[in-house]
Amino acid sequence: MTDAEYEAERQRLLALSEKWINPLGLGWWDIDLAYARDDYSPPGGTKNGVLAHCDVDWRYGHATITWNMPELLAYPDEKLERAFVHELMHIFLNEMRWTASNDEDSIDHEERVATTLTKAFLWQRDSLDKVVG
């Protein structure tokens, strides 16, 4: 991957972050985009060719999405946008992974995530209404 290709892909990701993070209600989160230039493998796995990995610490409202930059070269804009939003959804859902073994608290966490998703999509709708209206 050349420096020019790397920078072009980084700019595509930054544009997607501007387009999606706040409208989805994630503006209050601390979301870092990390860029792996070579030989990226997500933590706990050895999958080659993975596009991205989202590491979430829901306790503190922090997430890092690590992008496998060479893989982005093969993704047209529409497919990359879908992948970007997919990674953002992990921010909403990650908290539920931690409660799977604790049935007593699971429903509280599930309700919190459902409420957050509801707000996020309503904010998205309102954002689109402003653009259209």
Side-chain angles (χ1 to χ4, degrees), residues 25-45:
L26 290 169
W28 64 275
W29 276 74
D30 178 19
I31 301 173
D32 294 324
L33 299 181
Y35 311 104
R37 194 163 182 157
D38 300 304
D39 300 325
Y40 176 71
S41 180

Side-chain angles (χ1 to χ4, degrees), residues 1-130:
M1 167 172 258
T2 68
D3 289 346
E5 289 171 329
Y6 175 89
E7 185 56 28
E9 296 306 317
R10 194 177 75 78
Q11 289 302 317
R12 285 202 309 158
L13 291 170
L14 290 174
L16 289 169
S17 71
E18 289 291 321
K19 181 176 182 178
W20 283 104
I21 290 174
N22 283 330
L24 282 175
L26 290 169
W28 64 275
W29 276 74
D30 178 19
I31 301 173
D32 294 324
L33 299 181
Y35 311 104
R37 194 163 182 157
D38 300 304
D39 300 325
Y40 176 71
S41 180
T46 57
K47 292 185 262 180
N48 292 327
V50 67
L51 182 64
H53 174 78
C54 187
D55 183 37
V56 180
D57 190 338
W58 51 267
R59 299 167 301 169
Y60 302 105
H62 180 264
T64 300
I65 303 173
T66 303
W67 293 94
N68 186 353
M69 299 302 278
E71 289 293 319
L72 267 65
L73 293 170
Y75 276 71
D77 290 343
E78 184 178 310
K79 190 173 179 183
L80 181 58
E81 183 171 28
R82 188 169 48 248
F84 192 91
V85 174
H86 172 88
E87 293 305 319
L88 292 177
M89 292 300 109
H90 284 294
I91 295 170
F92 292 117
L93 300 173
N94 181 268
E95 181 174 340
M96 296 176 73
R97 293 182 202 174
W98 297 96
T99 62
S101 63
N102 187 349
D103 291 338
E104 191 174 5
D105 293 335
S106 291
I107 192 66
D108 291 341
H109 290 288
E110 184 177 332
E111 290 301 328
R112 180 198 173 281
V113 173
T115 299
T116 300
L117 283 169
T118 299
K119 289 178 181 179
F121 286 107
L122 290 174
W123 288 329
Q124 175 63 11
R125 184 204 59 204
D126 293 344
S127 175
L128 289 173
D129 286 348
K130 289 177 187 174

